[in-house]
Amino acid sequence: EHTRFLVASMAKLICLLICAVSTVSAWVPAAQVVRPASRVSSTRASSVEMKKKLKENTVREVVLTADFKSLGRKGEIVSVKKAYFRNYLGPYKFAEVATPEVIAAAAVLAAERAAEDLARLEACKAQAATIEAVCGSGAITIVRKAGPDGKLFGSVTAIELAELVEDRSGVKVDKKDMTLPVIGETGSYLVSIKLHPKVETTISITVVAQE
């Protein structure tokens, strides 16, 4: 009788163990399925975000419709990021997509501008030659009040020199285009005049004391 009781007890214990193992086995796959699903979702989101960033950083060719200091002049074809064009250049009409028609119009504009630039360059060269012929080699003499030591009672300014050059040569010169030393005493001085980025001339002036 005692043996039967032990056998029955062991049988119950074995059944309980089998049920516990089955329960654990049923939970493990579920946990294993949830984690990969979460990772897959995160990976997909990262992939979509990466593709979006790559698309934003992709460059496209556009034609500038206005002079733009950091990019170029009106009519030039430049490459910019798509996001920059979509969010700034396009909405503010600073550029348009470089379609065949737009590129053709830009080519015409570029040719016209090149002709204008060449004409301006030649004109500035002629003006420089005129200034050199009329105002070169110390042709300009300025008489100013000065002390016994030659110190002037007031320096000679770029505005004065620009007016003198225009009076003598007929060429209008902007004071901003003149480079000169401080002229505060009698003597000879060299003054540089930049009429064009590629055209520059130098004149010599003489400052004498008023008697």
Side-chain angles (χ1 to χ4, degrees):
E1 188 70 27
H2 181 67
T3 303
R4 288 179 181 179
F5 176 76
L6 290 175
V7 170
S9 297
M10 291 184 68
K12 289 181 179 181
L13 181 60
I14 290 171
C15 287
L16 289 173
L17 289 172
I18 291 172
C19 289
V21 171
S22 299
T23 302
V24 172
S25 299
W27 279 99
V28 170
Q32 290 176 345
V33 170
V34 170
R35 289 177 184 174
S38 177
R39 289 176 182 174
V40 169
S41 177
S42 176
T43 302
R44 286 178 179 173
S46 298
S47 178
V48 170
E49 186 67 23
M50 185 176 295
K51 288 180 180 179
K52 184 179 179 181
K53 288 182 178 179
L54 288 174
K55 186 177 180 180
E56 294 292 320
N57 290 329
T58 302
V59 298
R60 81 181 315 163
E61 286 192 335
V62 300
V63 176
L64 297 177
T65 55
D67 291 342
F68 209 82
K69 187 175 181 180
S70 61
L71 293 174
R73 300 172 67 187
K74 178 181 178 181
E76 291 184 355
I77 301 173
V78 297
S79 296
V80 298
K81 291 182 178 179
K82 286 185 176 180
Y84 186 46
F85 172 76
R86 185 180 66 252
N87 298 327
Y88 185 66
L89 296 179
Y92 288 96
K93 307 300 180 183
F94 289 136
E96 52 187 344
V97 179
T99 61
E101 294 78 10
V102 172
I103 292 175
V108 173
L109 178 62
E112 293 175 350
R113 176 169 288 171
E116 291 174 358
D117 289 345
L118 180 59
R120 180 169 174 265
L121 175 61
E122 294 302 320
C124 288
K125 286 181 178 180
Q127 290 175 341
T130 299
I131 292 174
E132 289 176 2
V134 178
C135 305
S137 303
I140 295 180
T141 300
I142 300 175
V143 180
R144 297 291 290 270
K145 290 182 178 181
D149 58 355
K151 298 292 183 180
L152 304 181
F153 297 153
S155 301
V156 177
T157 66
I159 295 177
E160 293 178 73
L161 291 176
E163 291 175 352
L164 284 171
V165 170
E166 184 175 356
D167 290 341
R168 296 285 184 87
S169 66
V171 178
K172 187 173 182 61
V173 176
D174 192 323
K175 66 175 184 177
K176 296 178 181 179
D177 297 331
M178 305 186 78
T179 302
L180 62 155
V182 176
I183 305 176
E185 58 186 71
T186 57
S188 296
Y189 298 89
L190 293 177
V191 177
S192 175
I193 304 174
K194 194 168 188 177
L195 301 173
H196 185 278
K198 297 181 179 180
V199 180
E200 188 170 355
T201 185
T202 302
I203 61 174
S204 173
I205 66 169
T206 302
V207 181
V208 299
Q210 183 178 7
E211 296 180 356

